[in-house]
Amino acid sequence: MKLCRYLAKGNLALSVAMTSLSTLMAPIMTPLLLLLLAGQWLPVDPVSMFTSIIQVIILPIALGILVQRIFPASVAKSISVVPLISVAAILIIVSADTAANAQNVISSGFIVFLAVFLHNSFGLVLGYLTAMAMGLNETDRRAISLEVGMQNSGLGVALATAHFSPLAALPSVWGAIWHNISGPILATIWSKKPAAAPNKENPELAARVKPAVDSGSK
């Protein structure tokens, strides 16, 4: 996803900060929101889900940071290979879950895909419009749009499979596929459109910067 932010000329620092914050909040907010929004229809165990998220997200990140500190040279050599391993792992998970739900994919695949498409589209649009309403510049808008619209479908597949059923993981399976299509398409479109200059995005900042530039040139 960070590659999409880079190609879209979005604010990578903002994107990393948002991802870090959402990752740290995931073990608490995901079980809580699922309990509040779906607890009356599904048997939700927030404690068990909290443990699963810690195991799936927090521990691997902590382990990665530890390995980076202990073996920095080895990590630097493996940077070009690790993303390929990650993509391969996601493909294996998606393929296995799709195979397990082959009949359901045929019968209700279009409806599920439509829901995933709308969810992704609304996220991209609302993320951009919210950033615009807050007066943020174009690079921030692009980063927030992609950050809101593209989600961790791998986590959704893992949680749904572990706590509910393979069928419950179907939306996340389609999400993993569609997000890797819509994100690069939008990033490619934005890559051909330069972000607006700072003086166009923030006139007040430009008014403060211009006198300093003029005085420095004298």
Side-chain angles (χ1 to χ4, degrees), residues 92-105 166 170 173:
I92 292 172
I93 294 173
V94 169
S95 300
D97 199 81
T98 302
N101 290 280
Q103 189 59 41
N104 292 311
V105 170
L170 189 57
V173 170

Side-chain angles (χ1 to χ4, degrees), residues 205-218:
L205 177 61
R208 292 197 300 268
V209 173
K210 189 175 186 300
V213 174
D214 292 342
S215 62
S217 62
K218 293 180 181 178

Side-chain angles (χ1 to χ4, degrees), residues 12-133:
L12 289 178
L14 176 60
S15 178
V16 170
M18 292 180 66
T19 299
S20 300
L21 181 61
S22 62
T23 299
L24 293 175
M25 294 177 64
I28 297 176
M29 294 306 299
T30 301
L32 178 61
L33 290 174
L34 194 58
L35 180 63
L36 293 176
L37 299 177
Q40 57 182 321
W41 295 290
L42 297 171
V44 179
D45 185 350
V47 176
S48 177
M49 191 169 293
F50 171 86
T51 304
S52 295
I53 297 175
I54 292 292
Q55 294 173 344
V56 172
I57 293 183
I58 304 300
L59 288 182
I61 292 176
L63 181 61
I65 294 174
L66 181 62
V67 172
Q68 164 68 24
R69 289 179 176 268
I70 298 177
F71 307 106
S74 299
V75 171
K77 294 179 180 178
S78 64
I79 285 179
S80 60
V81 179
V82 171
L84 298 177
I85 298 176
S86 176
V87 171
I90 292 175
L91 290 175
I92 292 172
I93 294 173
V94 169
S95 300
D97 199 81
T98 302
N101 290 280
Q103 189 59 41
N104 292 311
V105 170
I106 296 174
S107 61
S108 60
F110 175 75
I111 297 177
V112 174
F113 174 77
L114 180 61
V116 169
F117 172 80
L118 293 175
H119 181 269
N120 176 237
S121 300
F122 286 149
L124 293 171
V125 173
L126 290 177
Y128 188 91
L129 293 180
T130 300
M132 180 185 293

Side-chain angles (χ1 to χ4, degrees), residues 134-151:
M134 295 174 64
L136 301 180
N137 60 39
E138 179 65 16
T139 58
D140 292 344
R141 294 174 195 170
R142 295 179 183 184
I144 293 175
S145 174
L146 290 170
E147 197 69 34
V148 174
M150 298 180 66
Q151 301 299 320

